[in-house]
Amino acid sequence: MTTDMNAIVGTHDILMITLDTLRYDAAVLEEPNCPNLCGSGPWEKRHTPGSFTYAAHHAFFGGFLPTPATTDKSTHVRLFHSARTGMKTHPHTWLFDTPDIVSGLAAEGYRTVCIGGVIFFSKKVPLARVLPGYFQQSYWRMNFGVTNPKSTEHQVSHALKVLDGTPPDQRLFLFMNVSAIHGPSHHYVPGARHDSVESQRAALRYVDGELGRLFQAFRERGNPVFCLAFSDHGEAFGEDGYHGHRLAHETVWDVPYREFIL
Ligand SMILES: [Zn+2]
């Protein structure tokens, strides 16, 4: 069963959450402890189109979400695709006739808002204004960033203000880059001095707990909401000698993906 994006765009609010740096295996291990993200089903294993934030998000905004990690290409129905390419597309794929899905949704009447997280959304230098620049409105505060252990709380509180200021008949595309799972994540494990799968898992539990308020506020608007939640890339913690991301290793290219109606 594939989501019919042509029955979503125009009627639903759309909430896209990137769980920056979350590994697929860490996400799966925490499924039972993530009632908000996994209440309606498990994570799907996908491959990211980019190994670090900047590359991956350009791909996402271009309509290239993480690819199902299966060799059967026929099961992969794209949610978004550029119009008028001459390529055959699935009837459930929504076609946009702009450079990216963000401006494409704006052309359909959506208000587009970015709540930034990691440094590529900080707007502090020209490079860090590129990704937020896709959106009509974008926000970043120091306390949304990776160094603040309560970053998701601050991001969600800001998103609630955006929701408050958006009339229910105004369709909304809200994008949030969650920074909490990106390093440093060891502050979520008492006594830990290094980031690990364990600290990612603790960070994810924290994030899921905070997302409950956001999901509830969207539900209270009264519109149907299509939610996309996935990671932009994983992180190597010494596997085969690799550390970090922006490299090609399964710990980086395997990412968790979910889509659901709130
Ligand atoms: Zn990232």
Side-chain angles (χ1 to χ4, degrees):
M1 193 188 73
T2 60
T3 299
D4 182 357
M5 277 312 283
N6 291 300
I8 300 275
V9 174
T11 56
H12 291 53
D13 288 329
I14 300 174
L15 172 61
M16 179 183 284
I17 299 170
T18 51
L19 300 159
D20 208 290
T21 318
L22 176 60
R23 281 171 57 139
Y24 172 74
D25 55 357
V28 169
L29 288 166
E30 286 302 320
E31 278 172 4
N33 304 317
C34 291
N36 291 304
L37 286 165
C38 297
S40 59
W43 292 109
E44 185 184 333
K45 185 179 185 178
R46 292 208 171 193
H47 291 152
T48 182
S51 65
F52 72 116
T53 306
Y54 193 69
H57 284 78
H58 279 298
F60 302 153
F61 298 150
F64 303 93
L65 300 187
T67 311
T70 164
T71 51
D72 182 3
K73 279 196 92 168
S74 69
T75 61
H76 184 201
V77 176
R78 295 263 307 270
L79 298 184
F80 308 102
H81 200 289
S82 174
R84 296 187 294 119
T85 59
M87 294 168 76
K88 187 170 160 40
T89 54
H90 192 278
H92 288 177
T93 299
W94 178 67
L95 304 176
F96 56 96
D97 203 8
T98 59
D100 56 88
I101 63 169
V102 188
S103 57
L105 289 169
E108 294 285 331
Y110 280 78
R111 179 182 178 191
T112 65
V113 181
C114 169
I115 308 282
V118 306
I119 196 162
F120 286 110
F121 294 92
S122 70
K123 308 208 285 185
K124 287 191 167 187
V125 297
L127 179 68
R129 287 196 276 272
V130 174
L131 293 174
Y134 278 96
F135 294 81
Q136 292 165 340
Q137 293 164 276
S138 60
Y139 303 95
W140 191 85
R141 307 280 185 267
M142 192 69 196
N143 63 14
F144 295 180
V146 297
T147 55
N148 192 306
K150 294 185 184 299
S151 57
T152 315
E153 178 184 333
H154 296 297
Q155 290 181 296
V156 168
S157 293
H158 199 93
L160 297 191
K161 281 189 227 166
V162 170
L163 285 178
D164 261 354
T166 307
D169 59 350
Q170 169 65 60
R171 288 294 161 274
L172 180 64
F173 174 47
L174 182 74
F175 167 78
M176 181 183 289
N177 172 254
V178 167
S179 67
I181 303 153
H182 186 288
S185 58
H186 58 86
H187 44 228
Y188 295 103
V189 177
R193 296 175 60 188
H194 302 285
D195 295 351
S196 61
V197 170
E198 201 55 43
S199 68
Q200 282 213 345
R201 293 176 60 178
L204 177 57
R205 291 194 295 274
Y206 161 71
V207 168
D208 188 81
E210 293 297 329
L211 289 178
R213 285 191 296 142
L214 180 63
F215 289 0
Q216 187 56 32
F218 261 99
R219 290 189 188 105
E220 284 168 6
R221 266 167 66 78
N223 301 321
V225 184
F226 181 63
C227 182
L228 290 153
F230 49 93
S231 172
D232 57 342
H233 53 79
E235 180 92 337
F237 294 114
E239 293 87 353
D240 300 315
Y242 287 109
H243 290 272
H245 49 270
R246 196 158 53 82
L247 54 87
H249 188 270
E250 62 187 330
T251 54
V252 173
W253 71 59
D254 286 346
V255 291
Y257 175 95
R258 287 217 68 213
E259 56 185 58
F260 49 93
I261 302 291
L262 273 182

